[in-house]
Amino acid sequence: MPTPVTRASLDQQLALAKQCSREAALAGAKAAAVATVATAIPTLASVRMLPWAKANINPAGQALIISTVAGMAYFIAADKKILSLARQHSYENAPEHLKDTSLEGTARLHPSFFRP
């Protein structure tokens, strides 16, 4: 039987959502900072040392390369953090009969079509 929705439970869910989004934004910012440094060094070095890069990649192109990688890293890391927190919280809030993931009590592990 589902529990009734109360003001306190809604406030608790809202606080949990805000905390999760804060953690995801922080994880994304950390990943973006690392990706920026990891991309900027080889990009700037290649523009100074390689004749092709020096001739074909202007400063706007360099900035576009670096910012694209940083943006991708931010969104990928934030999405991974949100998904992991959602998995964690959904498992914590699941009914007890769904938390049991053991295979004890099953008659056989494989259906008959797996047999030779």
Side-chain angles (χ1 to χ4, degrees):
M1 181 169 204
T3 59
V5 177
T6 62
R7 175 76 176 185
S9 67
L10 289 176
D11 288 342
Q12 182 182 9
Q13 287 180 350
L14 181 62
L16 186 62
K18 285 182 181 179
Q19 178 187 1
C20 290
S21 64
R22 235 178 278 123
E23 288 181 33
L26 185 62
K30 286 179 184 178
V34 170
T36 299
V37 172
T39 307
I41 292 171
T43 301
L44 297 176
S46 66
V47 168
R48 294 186 191 273
M49 293 182 205
L50 300 174
W52 179 90
K54 188 182 287 188
N56 293 310
I57 303 176
N58 62 11
Q62 297 169 31
L64 183 63
I65 291 168
I66 296 167
S67 63
T68 301
V69 171
M72 288 180 355
Y74 176 87
F75 286 110
I76 290 170
D79 189 45
K80 284 179 68 174
K81 186 68 171 182
I82 288 171
L83 288 175
S84 71
L85 289 171
R87 250 186 245 112
Q88 175 187 349
H89 294 306
S90 67
Y91 182 78
E92 290 171 358
N93 297 331
E96 288 301 320
H97 71 280
L98 294 178
K99 288 183 180 181
D100 182 23
T101 58
S102 67
L103 293 175
E104 293 177 17
T106 56
R108 59 181 188 202
L109 296 177
H110 300 290
S112 61
F113 58 84
F114 281 127
R115 291 190 184 154

